[in-house]
Amino acid sequence: MTEALVNDIIVRPARADDFDFVADLMIRALTPFYDGDHYAHARRIFDAHMAGGVDHVGQFSVGQHMFIAESDGQPVGVIHVVNKKQGTVKISPLIVDTAYRGKMGVGSVLLKHAEDFARSLDARQLYCTVASSNQKALQFFLRKGFLVTGTARNHYKMGVDEHMLYKQLVDEAGFDSPNISVVPFNESQHADSARALILSQVSDDFEGVDDSWVDALFAGYRRMESGDVNNKFKIIFVAECNGQVVGVAGATPKKGQPIKLMPLVAKSEAAFEALIIDLQGLLEDYGRKLYIHLVPEPWQVVCLQRHGWSLEGVFPGGYAPASVVQQWGISLNKEGVPMRKMRIKRPYYDAIMSGKKTLEVRVGYNSIKRLKAGELLQLETGHTSGVVRIKSIRIYRSFADMLAAEPWQQIVPQAESEREALRLLRKIYPGHKENLGVHVIEVQK
């Protein structure tokens, strides 16, 4: 990759005369967090880069590449990336000289250069590790969209834990699949389809999940009004798409205020993600955290990590001799400040983030009724998310009433007219949902 100029910072491939700078930087930056000979480490990766990226000792690396950030002709930072055979790229390491940290955006420029480089290789993922005690570096990567996938105790140095992080580079369209709504369970409408979905997806990994188990789940739902955790009442939600049940979640509040989700089943990735996101807001009055027992598919692990869930335990043979059940959990009130989440289609997300769209319209589900002016709202679309603040909320009886008072261009910017905007809204929300009331949410970045 050739030189790139950003914010008066030049990023270029490392040259032979950069070694002393790189070695000194690595020794000073890595010694507090990592054991080992950092000079020898610098020598090895630098020489591999200078040899055209060829790595003669790595089993999985295809190439080793080092880039230097320069300001006014002076080197101010380095990033080393490893192109892996499995279609990923590792950052190891990214270091900015202490004299330039937090001043010129050097780290951001280097990371952007590495992302562009990884995308040029068609890599699907960028990953790295960060010492838990290196909080500035950890927060930097989190701000840049990296996810913490786990923590290794005493990994590279005794007494220092290591966080593993990654960022997905594969662009996704977001929630442009058929519209999915997460709504309270209605036994007269949903019982048969919910039962069939539960039995088809849970029984193989969990012995004892049969018709009588589902009967007990529904009986617990009928005890919901008691509100007594010792009564083991159940709260049930279903994910609906075009009037069909495509997902089911049963929640049991426990003593001490955790909430167990069992079952949580879905026919599609979109339905699973809808439940994972929406249940956080729908259940926050019943406890302080959610946890789930499941045998996840790889895409479910990605979904859980992306939305802040953490792996808490593994139970080999806990529910069936041949299954390994995992427990995943998430806090509903981090640091005392709840962050509402909302799923949104990618075109609408992009329009909001670009400032072309300032009004988001929803119908009066319970989760929407809970939103308040002044709150922060995290918009979720595929692997991308962004935070906005709710400026105000206005409620109307119908879409027609709403469009008579609100600028349709700020609601459906891709529409050509108010009539087309009304058609698009009613395509998303049929009449029985429109009757719940139309909520206009005014947002700002």
Side-chain angles (χ1 to χ4, degrees):
M1 206 170 191
T2 57
E3 290 185 359
L5 176 62
V6 182
N7 297 336
D8 297 323
I9 300 169
I10 293 175
V11 179
R12 58 168 176 78
R15 302 185 302 244
D17 59 351
D18 290 316
F19 176 73
D20 288 342
F21 168 76
V22 171
D24 177 67
L25 207 57
M26 288 181 61
I27 291 168
R28 286 190 288 117
L30 301 181
T31 299
F33 309 110
Y34 304 93
D35 280 337
D37 187 338
H38 303 304
Y39 183 90
H41 179 200
R43 183 84 266 172
R44 179 178 65 81
I45 63 176
F46 191 89
D47 288 350
H49 162 76
M50 294 303 298
V54 178
D55 183 2
H56 294 289
V57 295
Q59 288 178 286
F60 283 110
S61 65
V62 176
Q64 308 247 357
H65 311 276
M66 186 175 290
F67 302 99
I68 302 295
E70 261 189 16
S71 177
D72 294 328
Q74 294 296 315
V76 296
V78 61
I79 189 167
H80 174 253
V81 294
V82 185
N83 180 23
K84 299 284 189 174
K85 293 179 180 177
Q86 52 266 50
T88 61
V89 170
K90 182 181 182 181
I91 299 170
S92 179
L94 188 166
I95 307 172
V96 176
D97 193 308
T98 52
Y100 296 90
R101 289 179 190 170
K103 295 180 180 180
M104 302 172 61
V106 178
S108 297
V109 173
L110 281 169
L111 182 58
K112 175 65 165 55
H113 193 82
E115 285 194 28
D116 291 343
F117 179 73
R119 291 180 191 278
S120 74
L121 299 174
D122 294 325
R124 68 179 187 277
Q125 189 181 103
L126 193 63
Y127 73 99
C128 64
T129 66
V130 176
S132 60
S133 50
N134 191 358
Q135 280 296 307
K136 287 185 178 180
L138 177 61
Q139 294 305 316
F140 168 79
F141 282 106
L142 294 177
R143 287 195 304 272
K144 299 300 182 181
F146 281 72
L147 303 172
V148 176
T149 68
T151 304
R153 301 289 303 275
N154 301 316
H155 194 60
Y156 290 111
K157 188 173 186 176
M158 287 299 297
V160 180
D161 298 339
E162 191 77 3
H163 294 310
M164 296 161 279
L165 302 93
Y166 80 97
K167 181 176 183 178
Q168 201 75 4
L169 298 179
V170 179
D171 292 324
E172 290 190 348
F175 293 94
D176 291 320
S177 54
N179 298 291
I180 295 173
S181 303
V182 178
V183 299
F185 176 72
N186 183 310
E187 192 165 4
S188 63
Q189 296 178 8
H190 302 136
D192 290 343
S193 50
R195 179 187 296 271
L197 184 57
I198 292 168
L199 292 177
S200 68
Q201 295 210 14
V202 180
S203 56
D204 288 345
D205 295 317
F206 296 82
E207 286 189 352
V209 175
D210 52 19
D211 274 311
S212 64
W213 187 92
V214 178
D215 289 340
L217 174 68
F218 292 167
Y221 163 76
R222 297 182 208 112
R223 297 192 297 271
M224 184 172 61
E225 294 301 322
S226 74
D228 182 359
V229 296
N230 293 304
N231 210 14
K232 288 201 171 182
F233 69 92
K234 312 292 183 185
I235 310 158
I236 305 177
F237 290 94
V238 297
E240 284 186 331
C241 181
N242 298 325
Q244 302 296 313
V245 173
V246 293
V248 183
T252 307
K254 301 277 191 176
K255 289 180 290 185
Q257 294 195 307
I259 304 168
K260 182 178 182 180
L261 297 179
M262 181 66 189
L264 195 152
V265 295
K267 287 186 176 181
S268 67
E269 294 184 32
F272 183 83
E273 192 145 25
L275 289 166
I276 285 296
I277 294 172
D278 290 8
L279 288 174
Q280 294 179 45
L282 292 168
L283 292 171
E284 65 181 356
D285 283 346
Y286 294 93
R288 57 181 175 77
K289 68 165 289 187
L290 300 178
Y291 72 99
I292 178 177
H293 287 175
L294 77 168
V295 180
E297 298 288 338
W299 60 266
Q300 290 175 316
V301 172
V302 172
C303 177
L304 290 164
Q305 289 178 336
R306 186 161 69 243
H307 296 295
W309 294 66
S310 300
L311 178 63
E312 297 180 335
V314 179
F315 306 98
Y319 285 88
S323 73
V324 179
V325 171
Q326 299 178 9
Q327 176 170 311
W328 289 76
I330 187 171
S331 172
L332 296 181
N333 195 351
K334 293 181 179 179
E335 299 178 357
V337 182
M339 173 72 77
R340 309 287 182 182
K341 293 186 177 183
M342 178 184 288
R343 293 175 292 120
I344 188 169
K345 288 176 175 285
R346 186 59 181 262
Y348 296 133
Y349 173 87
D350 290 340
I352 287 174
M353 290 302 162
S354 68
K356 295 179 181 178
K357 174 177 164 68
T358 59
L359 304 177
E360 175 64 13
V361 171
R362 298 294 168 112
V363 297
Y365 296 131
N366 289 339
S367 57
I368 300 302
K369 291 178 180 178
R370 303 171 68 88
L371 298 177
K372 297 177 182 177
E375 287 184 329
L376 296 178
L377 184 63
Q378 183 165 312
L379 303 178
E380 301 273 355
T381 178
H383 287 293
T384 304
S385 66
V387 177
V388 295
R389 186 176 297 277
I390 300 174
K391 290 183 64 177
S392 63
I393 299 174
R394 297 178 288 278
I395 304 174
Y396 299 89
R397 288 192 312 165
S398 67
F399 290 129
D401 289 347
M402 180 266 294
L403 290 172
E406 305 283 353
W408 59 267
Q409 298 91 338
Q410 292 295 313
I411 298 168
V412 193
Q414 73 269 35
E416 302 264 332
S417 65
E418 180 179 324
R419 184 175 181 179
E420 184 184 359
L422 179 61
R423 180 184 64 80
L424 290 171
L425 288 167
R426 285 183 169 160
K427 183 179 179 181
I428 297 172
Y429 297 110
H432 69 282
K433 293 185 178 181
E434 183 178 352
N435 292 336
L436 297 172
V438 176
H439 292 237
V440 176
I441 306 162
E442 185 177 6
V443 300
Q444 65 183 45
K445 284 182 64 177

